[in-house]
Amino acid sequence: MTEEHGRVAVLSDVHGVLPALEAVLAEPEVAAADRIVLTGDIAAGPQPREVIELLREQGDRVLWVGGNADRELVEFRRGERTEIPDPIGPFAARALSERQVDLLAALPRTLTLRVRGLGQVLFCHATPRDDEEVVLADSRPERWAEVLAGLAPETGTVVCGHTHMPYVRLVHGRLVVNPGSVGMPYGRPGAHWCLLGPGTDLRVTSYDIPAAIGRLTAECAYPGIADWADCYLRARVTDTEALRAFGPRDGRAPDADS
């Protein structure tokens, strides 16, 4: 019989922000969770080496899923691409050790667990079939049918990340959960994550953001780190701006409202 987990903490889109990750790992319910699942985009940010090592220190309790940004770091380091869309990406890729590159290269794209109260849960980064396509809280039912096609009938919950905005919605009889982003939130500051079992609980951990910005500025050699940290840790990208930017990528008409 497949093991069933009582509580699972889900952390997505850490993006190499060590102070935000430290704050979430210090949460009592994260420390007490049966498993911590990472749903991708772990290292692409200002402190990639430190973030990976802190997560490795948590041992086998942490289950890793790769995201598109993790894949891009590997491809850059291995000479399979010469640029990365995210400006901080090349800096992060060069900062990784060879062992860390190998770790990211070996990450699975999906993971399935049984969680108390939710049954079989599939974890992925963007969608179950692709690590960078976009679905949103207000994506059309037809779009969801397309990206969820082929899932096992017993998979009742899908947990994804990628868009940095938390939501829970029911679609075609399945629960879809996005915990938001630990390190690069859109819409409101704080380190966003979720707790699964027996229900679905979206969480946000507050931490000292001015101190974290100062720490990143002092410890990270990325040339634009002060502006980067101010933008993303303070969540200066609003949810409205993010939805407007992502919207065309979910196949909707440019002027569609839903």
Side-chain angles (χ1 to χ4, degrees):
M1 180 179 295
T2 303
E3 181 182 5
E4 182 176 74
H5 302 286
R7 288 291 181 98
V8 174
V10 186
L11 282 56
S12 191
D13 297 277
V14 177
H15 277 285
V17 179
L18 185 62
L21 175 62
E22 290 172 338
V24 174
L25 291 178
E27 289 278 12
E29 287 175 302
V30 174
D34 298 339
R35 292 287 187 271
I36 298 171
V37 177
L38 309 171
T39 53
D41 285 10
I42 299 158
Q47 296 171 300
R49 293 176 66 109
E50 296 88 343
V51 159
I52 289 177
E53 289 311 301
L54 178 57
L55 290 167
R56 289 184 69 250
E57 289 171 8
Q58 312 307 308
D60 293 340
R61 196 165 64 96
V62 176
L63 303 175
W64 305 56
V65 173
N68 65 295
D70 304 309
R71 172 176 52 78
E72 290 163 0
L73 299 186
V74 172
E75 291 169 351
F76 186 89
R77 276 291 294 271
R78 293 183 171 177
E80 297 166 9
R81 62 163 63 222
T82 58
E83 56 185 33
I84 297 176
D86 185 350
I88 204 171
F91 167 85
R94 295 186 184 103
L96 296 173
S97 70
E98 287 297 330
R99 183 181 67 171
Q100 291 174 335
V101 171
D102 291 343
L103 183 154
L104 293 181
L107 296 184
R109 296 300 174 218
T110 64
L111 171 72
T112 300
L113 298 177
R114 290 194 63 80
V115 180
R116 180 167 56 90
L118 296 172
Q120 184 164 294
V121 181
L122 183 141
F123 300 85
C124 60
H125 179 60
T127 70
R129 66 180 188 175
D130 189 280
D131 67 8
E132 60 182 342
E133 68 179 347
V134 168
V135 281
L136 301 164
D138 62 345
S139 289
R140 306 169 325 284
E142 295 81 8
R143 172 64 172 170
W144 281 106
E146 176 188 351
V147 302
L148 299 180
L151 287 187
E154 60 269 26
T155 300
T157 302
V158 175
V159 181
C160 55
H162 188 48
T163 58
H164 299 206
M165 293 172 285
Y167 65 83
V168 177
R169 69 167 288 182
L170 190 66
V171 56
H172 298 299
R174 289 187 169 97
L175 195 67
V176 178
V177 183
N178 190 319
S181 173
V182 171
M184 291 176 63
Y186 298 153
R188 64 173 180 172
H192 294 73
W193 56 284
C194 78
L195 189 66
L196 303 180
T200 301
D201 192 358
L202 296 177
R203 299 293 185 91
V204 58
T205 296
S206 299
Y207 63 102
D208 189 336
I209 288 176
I213 292 172
R215 180 178 168 188
L216 292 184
T217 302
E219 297 177 4
C220 175
Y222 179 61
I225 186 57
D227 290 340
W228 190 97
D230 178 76
C231 177
Y232 292 113
L233 273 61
R234 295 189 189 278
R236 296 198 184 277
V237 178
T238 70
D239 52 301
T240 302
E241 291 168 337
L243 287 169
R244 186 179 299 121
F246 279 131
R249 291 177 56 192
D250 87 338
R252 69 185 68 188
D255 59 348
D257 294 323
S258 63

